[in-house]
């Protein structure tokens, strides 16, 4: 039995950075660790005013290279999403047929001469991939893995008080290197780091709690302090814990003596009485400030938010959070942001978490790589449990991606695990580390050795969390993996839930989580998790639609080619379509069904199965569900039978068509909380009603819409910050005269923006539509489209106008205002 008490906290880099960007968080640094100090922002946003060019230019790393003709842009940036989707592009079906190649970024910047003596660094949250960084013509190194964060020391190469130039070469030309859409470029934030020579190390604060109860919690803070001077230094380390109201709940002070050019790890504990515990339902966060002072001079200050929680897991009691057993209703999610491609804007990452929570998920698996910092920050803040995954493979390449992580493994696995675990270890949302996914060499004894090496190293970096990886059979046998499973604390099953009961008889201490499952098996997987304590949860493939791995969730019509996504290319499909949530954020019927199974918030939902055309039957792939819609518009099917599905947590449901009772059916667990009615189609009103003790209660209605007449715009946010990166997601709907969504509308839409902002991306959820996502027009699909608006750095307003021939245009004003203190 494994029974590990876990407590995790999170390092809120993005919070620090935003505060720093607006000049609200300063650090008093001294160039010589004496009284000559100046207020310097420790971590500064470095995203703006870059120049970019596609194609390889061998001299672009030189400081005197002329980049005046290059395009000017801000980060984060993904050049692949800007390109045309074409069958000939080398990323192929795995990468969504997007372009890749090589690109260069350059930027000029000045470091004040007063900063001489400070340590100047550059921190990249993520560059895809094989990035080489040059400063003033000097190459600082190559970072191959596109999903891990990294930094460089710029100090030896900086011209203080003069202009400096940084250049970044990004090489995503070796294809295929990823089984999904990766994007290309500097797609996450970049930060300029300014530190006193005596400072807290990068990712140098780790916080745990050895003891947690609702009465008291002990908080243990481990701080790595660095002295990069040639003299011994005596400094004071101060740690202050505050609650969400800003009240100090703990404080610790310690004098430290540092040898010249040395580092020292300092561990101390504090006690918090009556702590507010962190959980998905109550994501309470505290803040820890770590301060280095010499006399009255503040040399460094690092801020982390933290969440107090305990975790135990065992085959007998399952997954126990804060003393209560919970089941993981999880979904896998790739890193892209739909129409924005890989660009990891903070708001895009936050919205992704909001959509997952709204769909009823309480957990997510970051398949198959570490996510952005902003994503994990949002999981902490909003309450979403996380499996943080390192790699898609180890030493042997996947068949379709010869240039994948296997080519990097031997030289980079350790530094990339450092980057994942040390960066992310303080996030309360993370409940497991995953060292890999569907390892190709899994039947080999060498795989057991590799798993032991990786998992032992992860536990060395963070002994407070269990380690898993995702395994499957694909007809290679199953019991053969027992030695590999034994190297993990929790065993990840991909599509192997049917083996769990016999496995439990053979290995009763094994704790199981299904790390991937078919969407169509929602009820079976839910029931297995509910009925077995040793199965702690299920993670569907996938929670959200994503670009690449094209057509894995495809449904197709008579005359279209048969086959699964790996058997051939199915262009123009350029995305998966196996998600519960589609590319623009609409919840498919399967999402509502899954939510009804796992939660009691949603209890009734009505959908219509798309009828077969006259030519023959619709077919689906292994990862697909039948195409069903919130639609009662089926022209051409008048008088023909159509299947209507009602998902319900009520004992019974009734269905009415135009106020006439069609029938009543039970919808209990024996019916898998579902009833199907087959009835002749007639336009009008279709209504489902929940029934308890023969009394009608909650109802839901689908109405037949008229002809397209208007464009309706609905924004998720009507005010944006003047940070040049804030986003508003505007849903575009084609409606009839009465405001009903026209579910079959496919009108061409034209987008125009004026004022303080721009269109960051637009499109629809049709993954067979190859219109570009960075454009000024797109088609509606199923009556809907999406525009993502981005703020400027100036206050004012942004006006969006969407028009289409024959329709009343839609307009919307978004305020752009400075963030309030």
């Amino acid at each position: 039995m494994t029974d590990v008490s876990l407590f995790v906290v999170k390092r809120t880099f993005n919070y620090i950075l935003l505060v720093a960007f607006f000049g609200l968080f300063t650090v008093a640094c001294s160039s010589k660790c004496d009284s000559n100090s100046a207020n310097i922002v420790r971590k500064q946003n470095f995203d703006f005013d870059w120049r970019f060019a596609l194609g390889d230019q061998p001299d672009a790393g030189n400081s005197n290279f002329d980049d005046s003709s290059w395009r000017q842009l801000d980060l984060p940036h993904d050049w692949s999403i800007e390109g045309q989707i074409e069958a000939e592009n080398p990323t192929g079906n795995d990468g969504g047929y997007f372009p890749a190649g090589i690109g260069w970024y350059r930027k000029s910047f000045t470091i004040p001469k007063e900063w001489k003596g400070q340590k100047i660094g550059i921190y990249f949250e993520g560059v895809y991939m094989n990035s080489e960084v040059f400063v003033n013509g000097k190459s600082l190194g190559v970072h191959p893995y596109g999903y891990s964060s990294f930094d460089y020391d710029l100090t030896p190469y900086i011209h203080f008080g003069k202009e400096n130039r940084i250049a970044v070469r990004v090489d995503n030309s070796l294809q295929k290197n990823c089984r999904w859409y990766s994007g290309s470029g500097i797609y996450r934030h970049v930060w300029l780091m300014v530190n006193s020579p005596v400072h807290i190390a990068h990712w140098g604060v780790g916080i745990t709690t050895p003891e947690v109860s609702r009465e008291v919690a002990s908080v243990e803070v481990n701080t790595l302090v660095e002295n990069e001077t040639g003299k011994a230094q005596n400094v004071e380390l101060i740690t202050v814990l505050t609650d969400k109201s800003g009240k100090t709940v703990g404080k610790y002070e310690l004098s430290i003596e540092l040898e010249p050019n040395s580092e020292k790890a300092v561990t101390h504990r504090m006690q918090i009485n009556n702590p507010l515990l962190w959980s998905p339902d109550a994501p309470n966060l505290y803040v820890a400030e770590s301060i280095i002072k010499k006399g009255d001079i503040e040399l460094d200050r690092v801020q982390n938010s933290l969440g107090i929680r305990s975790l135990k897991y065992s085959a007998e009691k399952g997954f126990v959070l804060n003393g209560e057993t919970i089941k993981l209703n999880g979904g896998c999610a790739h890193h892209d942001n739909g129409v924005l491609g890989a660009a990891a804007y903070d708001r895009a990452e936050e919205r992704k978490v909001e959509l997952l929570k709204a769909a009823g998920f309480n957990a997510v698996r970051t398949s198959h790589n570490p996510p952005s910092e902003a994503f994990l920050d949002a999981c902490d803040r909003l309450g979403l449990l996380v499996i943080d995954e390192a790699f898609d493979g180890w030493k042997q390449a996947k068949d379709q991606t010869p240039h994948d992580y296997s080519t990097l493994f031997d030289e980079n696995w350790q530094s990339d695990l450092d980057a994942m675990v040390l960066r992310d270890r303080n996030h309360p949302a993370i409940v497991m580390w995953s060292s890999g996914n569907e390892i190709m060499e899994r039947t080999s004894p060498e795989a057991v050795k590799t798993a032991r090496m990786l998992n032992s190293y992860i536990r060395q970096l963070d002994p407070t969390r269990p380690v898993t990886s995702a395994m499957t059979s694909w007809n290679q046998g199953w019991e053969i993996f027992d030695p590999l499973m034994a190297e993990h604390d929790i065993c990840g099953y991909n599509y192997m839930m049917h083996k769990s009961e016999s496995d439990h008889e053979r290995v009763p201490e094994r704790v199981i989580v299904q790390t991937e499952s078919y969407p169509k098996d929602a009820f079976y997987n839910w029931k297995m998790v509910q009925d077995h304590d040793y199965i702690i949860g299920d993670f569907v493939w996938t929670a959200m639609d994503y670009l690449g791995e094209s057509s894995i969730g495809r449904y197709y019509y008579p005359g279209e080619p048969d086959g699964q996504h790996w058997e051939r290319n199915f262009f123009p499909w350029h995305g998966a379509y196996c998600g519960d949530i589609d590319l623009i954020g609409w919840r498919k019927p399967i999402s509502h069904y899954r939510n009804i199974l796992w939660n009691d918030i949603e209890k009734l939902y009505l959908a219509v199965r798309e009828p077969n055309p006259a030519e023959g039957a619709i077919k689906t792939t292994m990862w697909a569900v039948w195409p069903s819609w919130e639609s009662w518009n089926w022209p051409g099917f008048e008088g023909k039978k159509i299947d209507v599905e009602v998902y319900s947590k009520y004992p019974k449901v009734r269905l009415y068509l135009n106020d006439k009772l069609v029938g009543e059916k039970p919808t209990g667990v024996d019916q898998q909380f579902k009833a199907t009615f087959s009835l002749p189609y007639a336009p009008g009103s279709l209504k489902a009603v929940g029934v308890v003790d023969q009394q009608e209660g909650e109802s839901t209605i689908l109405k037949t819409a008229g002809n397209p007449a208007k464009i309706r715009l609905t924004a998720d946010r009507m005010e944006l910050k003047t940070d040049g990166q804030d986003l508003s997601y505007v849903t575009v709907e084609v409606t009839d005269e009465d405001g009903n969504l026209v579910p079959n509308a496919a009108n061409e839409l034209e987008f125009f923006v004026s004022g303080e902002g721009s269109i960051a991306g637009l499109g629809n959820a049709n993954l067979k539509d190859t219109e570009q996502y960075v454009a000024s027009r797109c088609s509606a699909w199923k009556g809907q489209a999406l525009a993502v608006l981005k703020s400027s750095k100036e206050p004012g307003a942004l006006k969006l106008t969407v028009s289409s021939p024959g329709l009343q245009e839609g307009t919307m004003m978004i305020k752009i205002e400075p963030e309030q203190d």
Side-chain angles (χ1 to χ4, degrees), residues 77-80 100-105 126-133 141-148 150 168-180 182-187 335 342 402-409 412 416:
H77 175 242
D78 171 12
W79 81 68
S80 289
I102 297 174
W104 278 88
Y105 297 83
V127 183
Y128 204 89
M129 60 178 295
N130 294 312
S131 62
E132 184 172 11
V133 179
V142 175
H143 186 81
Y145 193 32
Y147 294 114
S148 58
F150 60 98
V168 184
R169 180 181 186 267
V170 184
D171 185 354
N172 193 21
S173 62
L174 287 177
Q175 295 293 331
K176 301 174 182 179
N177 59 53
C178 196
R179 295 188 301 123
W180 56 91
S182 66
S184 301
I186 308 178
Y187 68 101
H335 78 126
H403 303 289
D404 66 12
Y405 194 78
S406 63
T407 64
L408 312 176
F409 183 88
N412 295 278
D416 287 330

Side-chain angles (χ1 to χ4, degrees), residues 6-9 202-208 220 222 224 390-391 412-426 433 435 452-467:
L6 302 174
F7 164 79
V8 288
V9 295
H202 189 46
W203 301 330
V205 179
I207 312 175
T208 61
E220 183 171 287
N222 185 284
L224 184 62
F391 316 123
N412 295 278
W413 70 264
Q414 187 169 345
S415 60
D416 287 330
L417 285 182
D418 285 340
M420 178 180 77
V421 179
L422 295 180
R423 189 198 73 169
D424 297 347
R425 58 183 166 168
N426 292 336
W433 304 111
S435 57
R452 184 177 304 132
M453 176 182 72
L454 295 176
N455 297 349
S456 296
Y457 189 68
I458 291 173
R459 295 183 191 106
Q460 177 184 330
L461 295 175
D462 174 27
T464 70
R465 289 182 182 84
V467 184

Side-chain angles (χ1 to χ4, degrees), residues 337-632:
N337 282 307
V339 302
L340 299 176
Y345 294 98
D346 289 359
R347 173 55 193 159
E349 301 293 272
E350 178 183 60
R351 176 180 179 263
K352 187 185 300 185
V353 177
E354 290 175 349
L355 291 174
L356 292 171
K357 288 282 289 187
F361 291 106
N362 66 7
V364 63
R365 173 178 172 236
T366 66
S367 48
H368 304 290
N369 50 264
S372 72
E373 293 183 19
F375 181 79
L376 293 176
D377 287 342
C379 291
D380 291 341
R381 190 171 58 254
L382 300 175
L384 188 68
L385 303 172
V386 177
I387 300 178
D388 197 349
E389 192 155 81
F391 316 123
D392 186 35
W394 294 342
K395 294 187 176 184
Q396 183 176 331
K398 297 287 200 292
D399 293 339
Q400 63 269 48
T401 51
H403 303 289
D404 66 12
Y405 194 78
S406 63
T407 64
L408 312 176
F409 183 88
D410 288 335
E411 294 185 4
N412 295 278
W413 70 264
Q414 187 169 345
S415 60
D416 287 330
L417 285 182
D418 285 340
M420 178 180 77
V421 179
L422 295 180
R423 189 198 73 169
D424 297 347
R425 58 183 166 168
N426 292 336
H427 287 275
I430 297 173
V431 294
M432 275 179 267
W433 304 111
S434 172
S435 57
N437 173 67
E438 296 182 357
I439 306 307
M440 294 300 289
E441 64 268 35
R442 56 187 173 268
T443 60
S444 167
E446 290 300 314
V448 178
K449 295 180 181 179
T450 303
R452 184 177 304 132
M453 176 182 72
L454 295 176
N455 297 349
S456 296
Y457 189 68
I458 291 173
R459 295 183 191 106
Q460 177 184 330
L461 295 175
D462 174 27
T464 70
R465 289 182 182 84
V467 184
T468 188
S469 74
M471 289 178 258
T472 193
S473 171
W474 300 141
N475 301 316
Q476 293 174 300
W478 187 242
E479 288 80 359
I480 190 176
F481 300 123
D482 282 355
L484 184 56
M485 294 273 191
E487 296 299 326
H488 300 79
D489 303 307
I490 295 176
C491 297
Y493 283 32
N494 281 8
Y495 314 104
M496 301 300 294
M497 185 72 88
H498 58 285
K499 289 288 188 179
S500 58
E501 291 176 318
S502 58
D503 285 357
H504 180 65
E505 293 181 6
R506 187 178 71 257
V507 191
E509 71 274 11
R510 180 177 294 175
V511 182
I512 297 169
V513 60
Q514 185 159 238
T515 35
E516 292 182 24
S517 64
Y518 298 115
K520 64 179 180 292
D521 294 336
F523 178 82
Y524 169 77
N525 291 319
W526 170 82
K527 192 71 165 56
M528 289 291 287
V529 172
Q530 302 307 309
D531 290 348
H532 302 90
D533 292 332
Y534 57 88
I535 304 175
I536 65 173
D538 172 59
F539 287 73
V540 67
W541 191 269
T542 58
M544 305 182 74
D545 275 345
Y546 55 96
L547 301 173
E549 202 164 24
S550 306
S551 76
I552 184 175
R554 176 176 76 110
Y555 60 91
Y556 52 103
Y557 300 100
E560 295 183 340
D562 280 320
Q564 304 296 327
H565 68 286
W566 71 83
E567 295 178 317
R568 54 164 292 174
N569 291 343
F570 290 98
F571 186 85
W573 281 92
H574 61 277
Y577 210 75
C578 56
D580 277 20
I581 304 167
D582 74 13
L583 202 71
I584 67 173
W586 181 72
R587 290 177 59 196
K588 301 174 189 176
I590 184 63
S591 170
H592 295 272
Y593 180 56
R594 193 181 317 280
N595 191 26
I596 286 172
L597 290 175
W598 288 88
N599 303 294
D600 290 326
I601 299 172
E602 186 175 8
K603 294 187 175 183
L604 187 69
Y605 181 80
L606 173 63
V608 179
R609 289 170 59 91
E610 184 169 330
N612 288 314
E615 300 80 28
I618 296 171
K619 296 182 180 180
T620 59
T621 63
M622 293 168 63
W623 281 265
V625 294
W626 193 274
S628 300
W629 312 100
E630 293 177 7
S631 172
W632 196 235

Side-chain angles (χ1 to χ4, degrees), residues 339-340 345 347-348 713-721 723-732 751-754 756-762 775 786-792 797-802 811-816:
V339 302
L340 299 176
Y345 294 98
R347 173 55 193 159
L713 306 182
T714 307
D716 69 337
R717 302 164 79 221
M718 297 299 294
E719 295 184 6
L720 301 181
K721 301 186 296 289
D723 64 1
Q725 297 180 331
D726 206 4
L727 304 178
S728 178
Y729 283 77
V730 181
T731 300
V732 182
F751 296 76
F752 179 74
V753 165
S754 61
E756 299 301 334
S758 60
I759 297 175
L762 56 84
L786 178 73
V788 184
L789 306 181
K790 184 174 71 167
S791 68
S792 73
L798 184 159
K799 182 180 180 181
L800 172 66
T801 302
V802 184
T811 61
M812 173 169 286
M813 296 290 291
I814 305 290
K815 291 182 180 180
I816 314 296

Side-chain angles (χ1 to χ4, degrees), residues 1-7 214 278-280 309-328 385 431 466 490 511 533 535-536:
M1 168 178 166
T2 304
D3 193 354
V4 180
S5 178
L6 302 174
F7 164 79
R214 298 192 180 276
W278 187 98
S279 71
R309 62 156 176 77
S310 66
L311 170 65
K312 297 180 180 180
Y313 60 96
S314 68
E316 291 78 12
K317 295 185 178 180
F319 179 90
V320 181
L321 182 69
N322 299 330
E324 297 181 5
T325 297
I326 67 171
K327 298 291 189 174
L328 302 181
L385 303 172
V431 294
I490 295 176
V511 182
D533 292 332
I535 304 175
I536 65 173

Side-chain angles (χ1 to χ4, degrees), residues 632-635 681 683-684 703-710 734-745 747 783 807:
W632 196 235
N633 277 59
W634 301 100
Y681 172 66
K703 293 182 179 179
T704 304
N707 293 324
K710 302 176 181 179
V734 178
T735 74
D736 63 13
E737 284 288 355
D738 297 327
N740 299 306
L741 175 72
V742 182
N744 300 329
N747 301 68
L807 301 184

Side-chain angles (χ1 to χ4, degrees), residues 89-389:
N89 280 330
T91 58
N93 63 309
D94 295 287
Y97 303 97
F98 286 86
I102 297 174
W104 278 88
Y105 297 83
R106 286 174 56 88
K107 175 172 176 168
S108 298
F109 63 103
T110 301
I111 301 296
K113 61 182 180 180
E114 293 80 12
W115 293 9
K116 193 167 185 179
Q118 304 298 308
K119 302 294 294 185
I120 310 298
I122 188 81
Y123 171 51
F124 295 86
E125 289 190 18
V127 183
Y128 204 89
M129 60 178 295
N130 294 312
S131 62
E132 184 172 11
V133 179
F134 302 81
V135 172
N136 295 326
K138 172 66 176 179
S139 174
L140 304 183
V142 175
H143 186 81
Y145 193 32
Y147 294 114
S148 58
S149 303
F150 60 98
D151 66 311
Y152 294 110
D153 182 9
L154 306 184
T155 312
Y157 318 108
I158 289 294
H159 305 316
F160 289 88
K162 300 179 181 179
E163 189 174 59
N164 299 271
R165 290 179 176 84
I166 186 169
V168 184
R169 180 181 186 267
V170 184
D171 185 354
N172 193 21
S173 62
L174 287 177
Q175 295 293 331
K176 301 174 182 179
N177 59 53
C178 196
R179 295 188 301 123
W180 56 91
Y181 178 84
S182 66
S184 301
I186 308 178
Y187 68 101
R188 293 179 183 167
H189 293 305
V190 180
W191 305 95
L192 188 71
M193 309 293 293
V194 186
N195 289 315
S196 164
V198 179
H199 59 269
I200 296 167
H202 189 46
W203 301 330
V205 179
I207 312 175
T208 61
T209 58
E211 299 174 359
V212 175
S213 72
R214 298 192 180 276
E215 290 74 35
V216 65
S218 60
V219 178
E220 183 171 287
V221 183
N222 185 284
T223 309
L224 184 62
V225 183
E226 295 182 337
N227 174 21
E228 296 191 59
T229 75
K231 297 181 179 180
Q233 301 288 340
N234 291 307
V235 298
E236 187 176 22
L237 171 63
I238 304 168
T239 301
V240 180
L241 295 180
T242 57
D243 62 18
K244 59 184 178 182
S245 68
K247 178 184 176 182
T248 298
V249 296
K251 187 174 182 179
Y252 188 91
E253 300 182 27
L254 178 69
S255 294
I256 305 172
E257 186 172 321
L258 299 165
E259 296 298 321
N261 297 306
S262 68
E263 62 182 26
K264 180 176 288 187
V266 180
T267 301
H268 57 272
R269 289 190 182 186
M270 288 172 284
Q271 182 172 293
I272 298 179
N273 295 321
N274 302 313
L276 295 174
L277 303 187
W278 187 98
S279 71
D281 294 330
N284 297 300
L285 295 174
Y286 290 80
V287 173
E289 283 194 303
S290 304
I291 305 162
I292 301 292
K293 295 184 72 174
K294 181 167 183 162
D296 294 331
I297 305 301
E298 186 175 297
L299 304 180
D300 199 5
R301 180 186 293 251
V302 173
Q303 191 176 58
N304 295 272
S305 69
L306 59 99
I308 300 174
R309 62 156 176 77
S310 66
L311 170 65
K312 297 180 180 180
Y313 60 96
S314 68
E316 291 78 12
K317 295 185 178 180
F319 179 90
V320 181
L321 182 69
N322 299 330
E324 297 181 5
T325 297
I326 67 171
K327 298 291 189 174
L328 302 181
N329 175 27
C332 301
H334 277 311
H335 78 126
D336 74 78
N337 282 307
V339 302
L340 299 176
Y345 294 98
D346 289 359
R347 173 55 193 159
E349 301 293 272
E350 178 183 60
R351 176 180 179 263
K352 187 185 300 185
V353 177
E354 290 175 349
L355 291 174
L356 292 171
K357 288 282 289 187
F361 291 106
N362 66 7
V364 63
R365 173 178 172 236
T366 66
S367 48
H368 304 290
N369 50 264
S372 72
E373 293 183 19
F375 181 79
L376 293 176
D377 287 342
C379 291
D380 291 341
R381 190 171 58 254
L382 300 175
L384 188 68
L385 303 172
V386 177
I387 300 178
D388 197 349
E389 192 155 81

